[in-house]
């Protein structure tokens, strides 16, 4: 369920500090340490899976909770109306650097498309 060498598992376990902003039985959200936008949060599942590629049929609940956390946080943080960007980087070509699935939630400025 958790990986002792995983940075985000250590945040879930409270072994590494993070500014938590949302939590339920399935997911945790906290501020990104190097924000790319005025609001930049990471939403992660409480189970360890290295990337989206490791999810299978049967994981609908945790993936649904992960996605649903974004509009809840947007409402709580006051940027639901202005809008926001959600991003999941997967593997090397996706630009993933931390190998515990996370969804970026970015807001507070206009975001460009396509991303770099
Ligand atoms: P990725 O490139 O894998 O999609 O995104 C990883 C994100 O994790 C980056 O935006 C990076 O700033 C963030 N990050 C890396 N280490 C830490 C940390 O120790 N604490 C927090 N809160 N965020 C981190
Ligand atoms: Zn992990």
């Amino acid at each position: 369920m958790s990986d002792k060498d995983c940075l985000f598992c250590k945040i879930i376990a409270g072994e590494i500090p993070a500014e938590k902003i949302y939590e339920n039985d399935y997911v945790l959200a906290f501020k990104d340490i190097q924000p790319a936008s005025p609001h930049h949060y990471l939403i992660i599942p409480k189970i360890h899976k290295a990337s989206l590629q490791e999810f299978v049929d049967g994981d609908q609940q945790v993936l649904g909770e992960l996605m649903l956390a974004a509009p809840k946080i947007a409402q709580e943080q006051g940027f639901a109306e202005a809008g926001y960007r959600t991003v999941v980087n997967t593997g090397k070509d996706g630009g993933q650097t931390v190998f515990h699935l996370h969804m970026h939630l970015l807001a507070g400025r206009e975001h460009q498309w396509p991303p770099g």
Side-chain angles (χ1 to χ4, degrees):
M1 286 299 258
S2 78
D3 178 334
K4 65 177 175 43
D5 298 320
C6 171
L7 177 63
F8 288 174
C9 283
K10 287 179 184 167
I11 287 177
I12 292 165
E15 292 165 17
I16 289 178
E19 279 193 67
K20 298 176 185 177
I21 55 142
Y22 178 83
E23 184 170 14
N24 68 20
D25 286 348
Y26 298 93
V27 302
L28 175 68
F30 52 90
K31 288 189 181 176
D32 195 292
I33 204 166
Q34 236 183 313
S37 299
H39 290 271
H40 188 172
Y41 308 113
L42 300 173
I43 306 167
I44 68 172
K46 287 188 171 176
I47 52 162
H48 178 84
K49 299 244 188 192
S51 80
L52 187 59
Q53 204 55 36
E54 290 199 351
F55 285 77
V56 295
D57 287 344
D59 290 328
Q60 282 89 345
Q61 176 124 39
V62 65
L63 287 175
E65 293 284 347
L66 193 87
M67 191 62 97
L68 283 168
K72 290 176 186 167
I73 294 165
Q75 198 66 44
E76 286 174 10
Q77 298 292 326
F79 55 78
E81 200 170 321
Y84 49 90
R85 171 72 52 82
T86 48
V87 178
V88 176
N89 297 325
T90 302
K92 180 178 75 65
D93 280 3
Q96 187 177 7
T97 60
V98 177
F99 288 86
H100 178 128
L101 173 72
H102 49 281
M103 186 165 73
H104 296 259
L105 173 57
L106 302 132
R109 66 175 173 91
E110 269 192 38
H111 293 82
Q112 307 304 311
W113 193 263

